[in-house]
Amino acid sequence: MATGQLFSRNTQALFYNYKQLPIQRMLDFDFLCGRETPSVAGIINPGSEGFQKLFFGQEEIAIPVHAAIEAACAAHPTADVFINFASFRSAAASSMAALKQPTIKVVAIIAEGVPESDTKQLIAYARANNKVIIGPATVGGVQAGAFKIGDTAGTIDNIIQCKLYRPGSVGFVSKSGGMSNEMYNTIARVTDGIYEGIAIGGDVFPGSTLSDHILRFNNIPQIKMVVVLGELGGRDEYSLVEAMKQGKVTKPVVAWVSGTCARLFKSEVQFGHAGAKSGGEMESAQAKNQALKDAGATVPTSFEALESAIKETFDKLVEEGKVSPIKEVTPPQIPEDLSSAIKSGKVRAPTHIISTISDDRGEEPCYAGVPMSSIIEQGYGVGDVISLLWFKRSLPRYCTKFIEICIMLCADHGPCVSGAHNSIVTARAGKDLVSSLVSGLLTIGPRFGGAIDDAARYFKDACDRNLTPYEFVEGMKKKGIRVPGIGHRIKSRDNRDKRVELLQKFARSNFPAVKYMEYAVQVETYTLSKANNLVMNVDGAIGSLFLDLLAGSGMFTKQEIDEIVQIGYLNGLFVLARSIGLIGHTFDQKRLKQPLYRHPWEDVLYTK
């Protein structure tokens, strides 16, 4: 491995298995360091493509998302680091796929628990092809002022405290990611900070070893001293001992191997990492510390004394003129996310949507304050749900029953009406359900099914002003307005609409009063004196009876009733009901496998 620097201010990475927070932390680090380009070139999310929005400083950027490793590498040939956030089950396969890409030089495997046999295969392939693996079970690494992997070094506050936004003179390597964050802070207190830090991971077989990175550090001129934090278990530290004895490490090394307390236990102890388990005297922390000391490393008497040892070594380098003073810089302020600023009470932000009919924030959704479980347990019907979501209150049972009757009676009126015809033609053209439904719904209006609101509006105005049917109808005629809710193309005085009769019968039996319906019937009597087909249609029946429902229930103010009619609630009933039939016609045509519809020539009048 050896060679030298892995990262630079121009290093870019591909991030496997999208995780918002680690990527945003990388981009915030980039901004803190004054990088001109983001360090994350692309994201790989198997099976999905597109973009992910994130922040680079105050600017919102879109990072490409690729479905496959090969595609991402081809799209971003300068990205030579692969950061793998896959689970332990798929980390090996995706890491091997990345290693086989010619553009990838470094692979960081974050997952713990990768099977050791898989890790050995990855290590063998990487060594044979001169590539570097950091991990598994790693937090990653960082080159101060240049590039960092994922969550390395933790929060922005910690990064600033550790002065990682600009390069120092110390190379650091450890097995532990958590202890790395602690040591970056320690090193920043007593030196000019780190130049590069690597956590190789705590598994038994790390992709790269402590000595691999220390030998690299030895070839990087900017690194003047090395700090190593090992742990009991395994023999990785002995490869460093041999390298030092052979003179391959020429820079001062301060080292400490954690786990000296293991001897206080009567039986063998497994510490946090898979590899932190002493398998004999040579793998004990005491033996390793002694070997490192004998090889020439500065080894303190305890972990508590490590900080002093680092300071003494650094101060000596400064005295010898081997370390030049670093000019301190003030890092830019990272803009705070709106969510965290709101949470901390620093800013106020207006909401973009107001909702008063439902709430999905608790353990279960609520309709107008009624929990979903109560709706089911109390046997609410569709009419009850409509009363909650449309009117924001639980209406009496006769009201919700009337709503349900309206839906049932208006669900369909055969294949020949305009809405059904449109849906049938669209379905036969091979379009999907939503397209077929919408094509039918778009025909609803003043001439087809959309006259309920107008019927209610005009009947209410005339009745409230005590107009006689004659005054009302003739007044509408003078204005050139057809009376909504009156007239039918098929039904007549002697062939009444059965739906109208059913609605009126229910209302007379269940409503407290039917003032508006009776007024509409009087209007019908007058219009029938003019023409046999000027009967009340279903729009007029629903419109007038809904006025009686609103007024007779005692649950609505006059202002609320006017608003309900004005907004278009009543047409909503027809839209909801007829959707059932339009969906049925769509399914019917698809089930029958009907071909594309073409209107017959003989049914068209061709004229000049």
Side-chain angles (χ1 to χ4, degrees), residues 172-177 179-180 183 198-201 210 227-230:
F172 173 78
V173 63
S174 168
K175 289 187 176 181
S176 169
M179 287 305 299
S180 294
M183 288 305 299
I198 298 290
I200 65 170
L210 297 172
V227 176
V228 184
L229 184 64

Side-chain angles (χ1 to χ4, degrees), residues 148-221:
K148 89 178 185 86
I149 294 171
D151 291 317
T152 301
T155 65
I156 288 297
D157 289 341
N158 190 63
I159 287 170
I160 293 173
Q161 193 169 359
C162 297
K163 300 178 182 178
L164 295 174
Y165 52 84
R166 54 95 176 127
S169 304
V170 180
F172 173 78
V173 63
S174 168
K175 289 187 176 181
S176 169
M179 287 305 299
S180 294
N181 290 349
E182 182 66 30
M183 288 305 299
Y184 295 152
N185 203 306
T186 299
I187 291 169
R189 283 199 301 267
V190 294
T191 72
D192 60 7
I194 73 159
Y195 184 83
E196 184 182 327
I198 298 290
I200 65 170
D203 278 4
V204 177
F205 298 101
S208 52
T209 65
L210 297 172
S211 58
D212 286 336
H213 293 286
I214 290 169
L215 291 172
R216 272 198 317 105
F217 292 166
N218 202 64
N219 296 332
I220 300 174

Side-chain angles (χ1 to χ4, degrees), residues 185-455:
N185 203 306
T186 299
I187 291 169
R189 283 199 301 267
V190 294
T191 72
D192 60 7
I194 73 159
Y195 184 83
E196 184 182 327
I198 298 290
I200 65 170
D203 278 4
V204 177
F205 298 101
S208 52
T209 65
L210 297 172
S211 58
D212 286 336
H213 293 286
I214 290 169
L215 291 172
R216 272 198 317 105
F217 292 166
N218 202 64
N219 296 332
I220 300 174
Q222 295 92 330
I223 293 179
K224 306 302 181 181
M225 65 175 284
V226 176
V227 176
V228 184
L229 184 64
E231 63 186 23
L232 83 164
R235 302 198 175 189
D236 190 8
E237 289 81 359
Y238 289 106
S239 60
L240 172 58
V241 168
E242 290 303 312
M244 293 180 68
K245 287 181 177 178
Q246 294 170 16
K248 295 180 180 179
V249 181
T250 58
K251 297 176 181 180
V253 175
V254 179
W256 176 255
V257 178
S258 297
T260 54
C261 65
R263 285 186 176 176
L264 299 175
F265 298 92
K266 294 180 179 179
S267 59
E268 188 175 69
V269 177
Q270 171 73 61
F271 287 84
H273 293 149
K277 180 179 180 180
S278 179
E281 178 57 29
M282 281 195 69
E283 294 186 11
S284 68
Q286 285 84 349
K288 291 181 179 182
N289 279 325
Q290 187 60 51
L292 286 165
K293 186 174 183 180
D294 293 344
T298 299
V299 180
T301 56
S302 66
F303 177 77
E304 288 73 15
L306 181 59
E307 182 174 336
S308 297
I310 295 170
K311 184 179 188 307
E312 290 170 9
T313 302
F314 181 78
D315 289 346
K316 185 177 180 182
L317 290 171
V318 172
E319 289 174 10
E320 295 172 351
K322 295 180 180 178
V323 174
S324 302
I326 290 178
K327 183 180 179 182
E328 287 295 342
V329 295
T330 301
Q333 180 74 35
I334 299 291
E336 187 174 359
D337 288 340
L338 181 61
S339 58
S340 62
I342 292 173
K343 190 174 181 180
S344 62
K346 294 180 180 178
V347 298
R348 297 180 300 192
T351 55
H352 297 92
I353 292 177
I354 301 174
S355 176
T356 64
I357 64 169
S358 63
D359 191 338
D360 59 341
R361 294 171 298 175
E363 293 183 1
E364 58 178 326
C366 292
Y367 293 167
V370 181
M372 189 64 64
S373 56
S374 297
I375 291 172
I376 301 301
E377 291 166 2
Q378 295 177 26
Y380 280 33
V382 171
D384 297 291
V385 171
I386 291 173
S387 77
L388 292 173
L389 290 177
W390 289 18
F391 303 106
K392 295 170 52 180
R393 65 205 74 187
S394 291
L395 295 175
R397 182 56 190 151
Y398 76 87
C399 296
T400 59
K401 179 65 176 175
F402 176 76
I403 291 172
E404 291 169 0
I405 291 173
C406 291
I407 292 172
M408 289 188 284
L409 294 180
C410 296
D412 191 51
H413 202 195
C416 298
V417 296
S418 57
H421 181 79
N422 265 25
S423 289
I424 288 170
V425 171
T426 307
R428 289 177 61 166
K431 300 291 285 185
D432 60 277
L433 170 63
V434 174
S435 300
S436 302
L437 171 62
V438 170
S439 71
L441 290 176
L442 287 174
T443 64
I444 296 176
R447 296 184 179 180
F448 169 61
I452 302 177
D453 281 313
D454 282 342

Side-chain angles (χ1 to χ4, degrees), residues 505-582:
K505 180 179 179 182
F506 178 85
R508 287 193 172 102
S509 301
N510 294 277
F511 281 25
V514 286
K515 178 180 77 169
Y516 291 105
M517 185 198 78
E518 295 296 0
Y519 182 79
V521 170
Q522 293 173 25
V523 171
E524 178 193 40
T525 301
Y526 178 77
T527 56
L528 281 174
S529 67
K530 291 177 167 290
N532 201 38
N533 69 331
L534 293 182
V535 295
M536 189 187 306
N537 56 39
V538 74
D539 291 348
I542 293 176
S544 59
L545 284 171
F546 226 101
L547 291 174
D548 287 323
L549 181 152
L550 295 172
S553 67
M555 299 186 70
F556 298 90
T557 65
K558 182 181 182 302
Q559 182 180 355
E560 286 177 325
I561 294 173
D562 290 339
E563 185 179 53
I564 286 169
V565 174
Q566 185 63 37
I567 287 175
Y569 273 58
L570 309 189
N571 279 352
L573 266 182
F574 186 83
V575 171
L576 175 62
R578 191 50 57 94
S579 294
I580 299 171
L582 299 179

Side-chain angles (χ1 to χ4, degrees), residues 579-589 591:
S579 294
I580 299 171
L582 299 179
I583 291 171
H585 284 295
T586 300
F587 289 155
D588 191 41
Q589 297 303 306
R591 182 172 54 247

